[in-house]
């Protein structure tokens, strides 16, 4: 009894939190467009790609973040908005009867009203599926509405023909989009690995290792030979005076393990050895 009541209470709290979050998001969107009436659906994280005709390749735009499909009181009635984490400028698209959509999870490819060919990558396949079905449903509803206003029916036929022509080669373009996203992820992973290495070198006190020094035994006083504890203290003091950071063996070991576990580090090390040979 108590367990079920606790679970129900947690569920109610989660619903309240989500409702409050939705209200805050809607208020934020309405600050830029007060004609937005409601948020129909969302995707947690997407990235935007653009197909560059001149280069015949996909390139990622500086747009990524949460996606919101919204309904408006003005025309166009439906849009989707990406709240951009990479810049203050959000990305906005009208969902029209002429919007052509292709899906191959986790990607959606579409052509804008300005004839740009863009691609969306979704962090989760299931979100890609639900957003694609929603956008397709809205676009189809717009087509039906537009065709009912077209007395001679020719407009609808032209749109269908255009969509069919745009479908040619879509499989290859989807494959190219997936490849472009894969290359982008590899680039970001390599950058992260390089940052790990920089952090490790920073822990060691810089990129250049200081020359090793040894203390020879002297014949006087209280016994010759090295004195490890005193030498360690002197080295720590020298590091502190030069702006270095004192680290422990455990920290160094953990940092080395993080770096070595990365495939990108192994590849970078391999290329360094191969090029230096």
């Amino acid at each position: 009894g108590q367990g079920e009541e606790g679970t129900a209470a947690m569920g109610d709290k989660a619903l309240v939190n989500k409702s409050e979050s939705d209200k805050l998001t809607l208020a934020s969107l309405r600050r830029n467009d007060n004609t937005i009436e409601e948020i129909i659906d969302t995707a947690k994280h997407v990235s935007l790609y653009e197909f560059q005709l001149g280069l015949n390749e996909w390139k990622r735009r500086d747009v990524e973040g949460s996606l919101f499909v919204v309904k408006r009181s003005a025309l166009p009635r439906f849009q989707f908005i990406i709240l951009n984490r990479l810049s203050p400028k959000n990305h906005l698209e009208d969902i029209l009867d002429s919007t052509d959509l292709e899906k191959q999870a986790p990607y959606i490819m579409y052509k804008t009203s300005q004839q740009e060919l863009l691609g969306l990558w979704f962090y989760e396949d299931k979100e890609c599926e639900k957003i694609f079905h929603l956008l397709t449903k809205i676009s189809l509803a717009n087509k039906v509405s537009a065709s009912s206003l077209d007395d001679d029916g020719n407009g609808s036929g032209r749109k269908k023909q255009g969509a069919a022509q745009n479908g040619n080669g879509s499989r290859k373009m989807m494959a190219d989009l997936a490849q472009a996203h894969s290359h982008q992820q590899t680039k970001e992973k390599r950058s992260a690995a390089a940052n790990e290495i920089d952090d490790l070198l920073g822990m060691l006190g810089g990129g250049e290792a200081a020359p090793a020094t040894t203390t020879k035994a002297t014949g006087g006083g209280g016994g010759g030979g090295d004195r490890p504890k005193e030498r360690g203290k002197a080295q720590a003091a020298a590091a502190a005076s030069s702006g270095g950071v004192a680290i422990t063996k455990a920290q160094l070991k953990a940092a080395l393990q993080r770096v070595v576990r990365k495939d990108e580090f192994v590849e970078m090390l391999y290329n360094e050895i191969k090029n230096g040979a």
Side-chain angles (χ1 to χ4, degrees):
Q2 291 182 352
E4 291 178 357
E5 289 176 2
T7 303
M10 289 176 63
D12 291 342
K13 185 177 180 181
L15 288 174
V16 170
N17 290 339
K18 185 178 185 305
S19 177
E20 290 299 320
S21 176
D22 289 346
K23 287 179 182 178
L24 290 172
T25 303
L26 180 58
S28 175
L29 293 174
R30 284 177 59 85
R31 278 198 291 270
N32 293 323
D33 181 359
N34 60 12
T35 67
I36 294 176
E37 295 181 325
E38 63 176 302
I39 297 172
I40 303 174
D41 211 338
T42 67
K44 292 178 183 177
H45 187 82
V46 302
S47 294
L48 184 68
Y49 288 79
E50 174 189 2
F51 187 76
Q52 298 184 324
L53 292 173
L55 300 175
N56 199 36
E57 65 181 18
W58 289 95
K59 183 178 180 181
R60 196 178 83 160
R61 284 188 176 180
D62 289 333
V63 177
E64 68 174 48
S66 299
L67 180 146
F68 299 88
V69 181
V70 300
K71 181 181 178 182
R72 307 168 69 244
S73 59
L75 294 176
R77 292 298 307 277
F78 299 95
Q79 294 176 332
F80 71 78
I81 303 167
I82 301 174
L83 289 185
N84 195 2
R85 297 175 183 173
L86 302 181
S87 83
K89 186 177 180 181
N90 297 326
H91 182 79
L92 184 149
E93 292 287 357
D94 299 332
I95 308 171
L96 307 170
D97 61 313
S98 57
T99 302
D100 290 315
L101 299 158
E102 295 278 349
K103 172 186 66 70
Q104 184 175 317
Y107 306 98
I108 293 176
M109 186 171 66
Y110 67 98
K111 181 170 282 190
T112 70
S113 56
Q114 290 80 31
Q115 300 303 302
E116 292 178 308
L117 188 58
L118 302 180
L120 293 169
W121 169 79
F122 288 76
Y123 182 74
E124 294 185 7
D125 285 8
K126 63 181 181 180
E127 291 193 332
C128 177
E129 296 283 351
K130 72 170 184 175
I131 294 297
F132 175 77
H133 288 305
L134 176 59
L135 297 182
T136 301
K137 185 177 179 181
I138 293 172
S139 180
L140 181 61
N142 287 336
K143 280 183 171 69
V144 171
S145 176
S147 64
S148 66
L149 298 175
D150 188 359
D151 295 331
D152 59 8
N154 291 332
S156 174
R158 283 195 297 272
K159 285 169 187 170
K160 289 180 180 178
Q161 182 182 7
Q165 289 173 348
N166 292 336
N168 293 336
S170 62
R171 285 187 181 180
K172 182 182 183 306
M173 297 197 74
M174 279 290 190
D176 290 343
L177 175 57
Q179 186 178 36
H181 179 69
S182 177
H183 287 167
Q184 181 66 31
Q185 285 190 315
T186 300
K187 182 180 176 181
E188 290 174 356
K189 286 179 181 178
R190 286 176 179 170
S191 178
N195 288 338
E196 289 272 11
I197 295 170
D198 288 342
D199 291 342
L200 177 59
L201 292 175
M203 292 176 70
L204 294 173
E208 296 293 334
T213 59
T214 57
T215 305
K216 293 184 179 179
T218 59
D226 294 341
R227 296 182 180 180
K229 290 184 180 179
E230 292 180 9
R231 189 168 63 251
K233 290 179 181 178
Q235 289 174 346
S241 65
S242 64
V245 179
I247 60 170
T248 65
K249 289 182 179 179
Q251 288 174 319
L252 180 58
K253 182 178 179 181
L256 282 168
Q257 287 175 339
R258 285 198 306 271
V259 171
V260 172
R261 276 199 297 266
K262 295 181 180 293
D263 292 339
E264 295 77 22
F265 169 75
V266 176
E267 183 180 349
M268 290 168 65
L269 184 61
Y270 171 78
N271 290 331
E272 183 67 27
I273 294 172
K274 183 175 70 172
N275 295 333

